[in-house]
Amino acid sequence: MMITDTLEAVRNASYQLALVGPDTINQVLEAVADALLQHTDELLAANAEDLARMNPDDPKYDRLKLTAERLQGIADDTRRVAQLPSPLDIVLDDRILPNGLHLRKVSVPFGVIGVIYEARPNVSFDVFSLCFKSGSACVLKGGSDADCSNRAIVGLIHEVLVRFGIDPHTVELLPASREATTELLEAVGYIDILIPRGGKQLIQYVRQHAAVPVIETGAGVCHTYFDVSGDLHKGTAIVCNAKTRRVSVCNALDCLLVHRSRLADLPALCAPLQDSHVRIYADEEALRSLQGHYPDQLLEPATDESFGTEFLDYKMAVRTVADVEAAAAHIRVNGSKHSECIVAEDATTAHYFSRVVDAACVYTNAPTSFTDGAQFGLGAEIGISTQKLHARGPMGLREMTTYKWLIEGNGQVRPR
């Protein structure tokens, strides 16, 4: 089947999906979760083919890898989405005009959502569950690194859809080729919204070349500012969790900003990181503070490139700043509007940081690792939006809908 034929089939499936009731949608999602666990061995075998082509030392290896435990977690997430209230037909505004017209603003599906993503096979399940629950068909364009895994996943979903009498074109996986990417970017009339999930290069490429509307997600250059009033115990735990919990995800810490008066505490702040062999790129003042207290082989002078980099690895930059204003200025230049954190006990300073820093998620005394749809109580997420139109931050079910106005009249006409 040609890609345009596939896209047209998905568009037609989206029209039929609008007629599927919420109970059936939830039953399908539960059945997908069941099938996922029943076919764990097949999914792991397909994933093993992908893993065999990647160097285990590559940070993306962890994102690519599926395990029985991770599949159980994906199944649990799918069930949670099924249990969430439907995001459709919610009345967002309801008014009667002086002329008697009754206006209602109601949440509705986008129609067809396209998602381009890299070596993250779990995204295939997440995207399907969120799109299906919110009434939209979806077109998936995964990377070649995860192609075997993605095809096994979509094949499993198709089997469940057919069992329920639902058009399997409700979800389709395009070939893992550049040509398929180009066609998806230019799929005007077929795709209503396109969401890239991946690194900075992928997002920039999609934004620059897409002819369809795009919601930017993913790239996260995340900072933590340790203030003069910061609690050392809290800060140490926050920095370690934000940096080492999972280095290959967009909410991982990339740069620690430390108030100059707290440089004596910097070795303690960074001490737990050496257990994970985190390489630190420190500016001159921070470097002097860390030398003799942090392993020399993991310590390097920072360069201009050290700041504003999303490492996705066991690497972190450290910069000394004079005050919260300087920290905010650094983030303004080097951040990606994803997630930023301040460790401070002074309420005025924390309030200033929260108001001035421009990011989708701004934390006070908590790590950026919490930027996640499930952690926010949204169920699974389709990504973290770093833009300001339509959605910002974790995109759960509510963010996967648009709206339309329903107007009821009784013969009114507009005056000339």
Side-chain angles (χ1 to χ4, degrees):
M1 180 181 286
M2 299 290 290
I3 290 178
T4 52
D5 294 334
T6 298
L7 294 175
E8 182 156 2
V10 176
R11 169 59 72 186
N12 290 333
S14 74
Y15 301 142
Q16 298 303 314
L17 184 57
L19 304 176
V20 178
D23 289 342
T24 301
I25 285 176
N26 293 337
Q27 290 169 14
V28 169
L29 291 174
E30 291 283 357
V32 167
D34 290 340
L36 189 164
L37 298 178
Q38 292 165 4
H39 295 274
T40 292
D41 290 344
E42 294 95 315
L43 293 175
L44 292 181
N47 185 241
E49 293 183 49
D50 292 326
L51 291 171
R53 299 193 302 272
M54 182 177 286
N55 184 341
D57 294 330
D58 190 326
K60 292 181 181 180
Y61 190 88
D62 179 62
R63 295 191 305 190
L64 175 61
K65 186 176 183 179
L66 293 175
T67 64
E69 182 180 9
R70 288 183 179 182
L71 288 174
Q72 179 66 61
I74 293 170
D76 293 341
D77 287 342
T78 304
R79 295 190 202 280
R80 276 193 286 271
V81 172
Q83 293 160 6
L84 290 170
S86 172
L88 301 175
D89 300 318
I90 296 173
V91 179
L92 306 171
D93 195 358
D94 191 332
R95 66 180 73 174
I96 297 177
L97 302 183
N99 62 8
L101 286 179
H102 184 189
L103 274 64
R104 287 182 300 136
K105 182 180 178 182
V106 181
S107 61
V108 297
F110 269 113
V112 179
I113 297 173
V115 181
I116 300 178
Y117 53 110
E118 295 172 334
R120 303 182 184 187
N122 62 295
V123 172
S124 300
F125 281 115
D126 290 347
V127 170
F128 167 73
S129 62
L130 285 167
C131 289
F132 190 67
K133 177 79 174 189
S134 58
S136 288
C138 58
V139 177
L140 309 178
K141 172 59 181 69
S144 57
D145 289 340
D147 195 50
C148 294
S149 304
N150 289 333
R151 297 210 168 276
I153 290 167
V154 172
L156 182 150
I157 295 172
H158 281 172
E159 290 179 10
V160 174
L161 291 173
V162 169
R163 196 193 323 154
F164 279 82
I166 296 173
D167 190 339
H169 293 302
T170 295
V171 54
E172 282 292 353
L173 177 69
L174 296 185
S177 64
R178 292 184 179 180
E179 292 76 17
T181 299
T182 299
E183 292 214 37
L184 185 57
L185 294 175
E186 298 174 353
V188 176
Y190 298 110
I191 302 294
D192 293 293
I193 198 82
L194 186 60
I195 303 173
R197 282 195 60 170
K200 184 177 181 180
Q201 288 184 330
L202 171 65
I203 293 169
Q204 285 183 339
Y205 182 84
V206 171
R207 185 178 62 223
Q208 292 168 4
H209 294 87
V212 297
V214 174
I215 296 179
E216 296 179 36
T217 72
V221 180
C222 302
H223 299 78
T224 292
Y225 166 57
F226 188 72
D227 183 56
V228 62
S229 68
D231 180 280
L232 183 58
H233 177 72
K234 293 178 185 176
T236 302
I238 287 168
V239 169
C240 183
N241 186 259
K243 178 66 260 182
T244 66
R245 179 190 165 271
R246 285 190 72 184
V247 297
S248 62
V249 293
C250 58
N251 58 28
L253 176 62
D254 295 297
C255 182
L256 172 62
L257 304 172
V258 60
H259 194 286
R260 181 168 287 113
S261 68
R262 300 301 299 273
L263 280 173
D265 293 312
L266 183 59
L269 272 176
C270 296
L273 301 179
Q274 59 189 301
D275 294 336
S276 299
H277 306 287
V278 174
R279 183 171 296 277
I280 291 178
Y281 303 91
D283 69 6
E284 186 175 346
E285 292 179 81
L287 190 65
R288 286 198 301 267
S289 177
L290 288 169
Q291 284 174 334
H293 302 283
Y294 199 81
D296 288 341
Q297 67 272 22
L298 296 176
L299 198 56
E300 294 186 26
T303 65
D304 290 342
E305 289 71 31
S306 302
F307 305 108
T309 295
E310 184 184 23
F311 288 110
L312 300 174
D313 200 350
Y314 288 97
K315 299 176 181 179
M316 184 181 79
V318 179
R319 187 166 204 170
T320 308
V321 293
D323 49 33
V324 66
E325 289 86 356
H330 175 94
I331 292 171
R332 190 176 305 122
V333 173
N334 297 282
S336 63
K337 304 184 188 301
H338 190 291
S339 298
E340 310 292 359
C341 164
I342 181 172
V343 179
E345 296 301 303
D346 183 76
T348 301
T349 302
H351 179 71
Y352 174 89
F353 187 89
S354 297
R355 288 292 299 271
V356 170
V357 168
D358 183 12
C361 300
V362 180
Y363 293 84
T364 299
N365 296 325
T368 56
S369 52
F370 279 110
T371 300
D372 176 88
Q375 293 296 312
F376 280 24
L378 306 178
E381 71 176 35
I382 204 163
I384 310 296
S385 172
T386 55
Q387 64 181 37
K388 298 181 182 181
L389 289 176
H390 179 67
R392 201 175 194 199
M395 293 181 60
L397 282 175
R398 287 287 187 98
E399 291 73 30
M400 298 306 298
T401 63
T402 183
Y403 60 82
K404 65 182 175 185
W405 290 92
L406 300 177
I407 304 95
E408 296 179 11
N410 189 29
Q412 295 95 327
V413 294
R414 185 171 177 175
R416 292 181 178 271

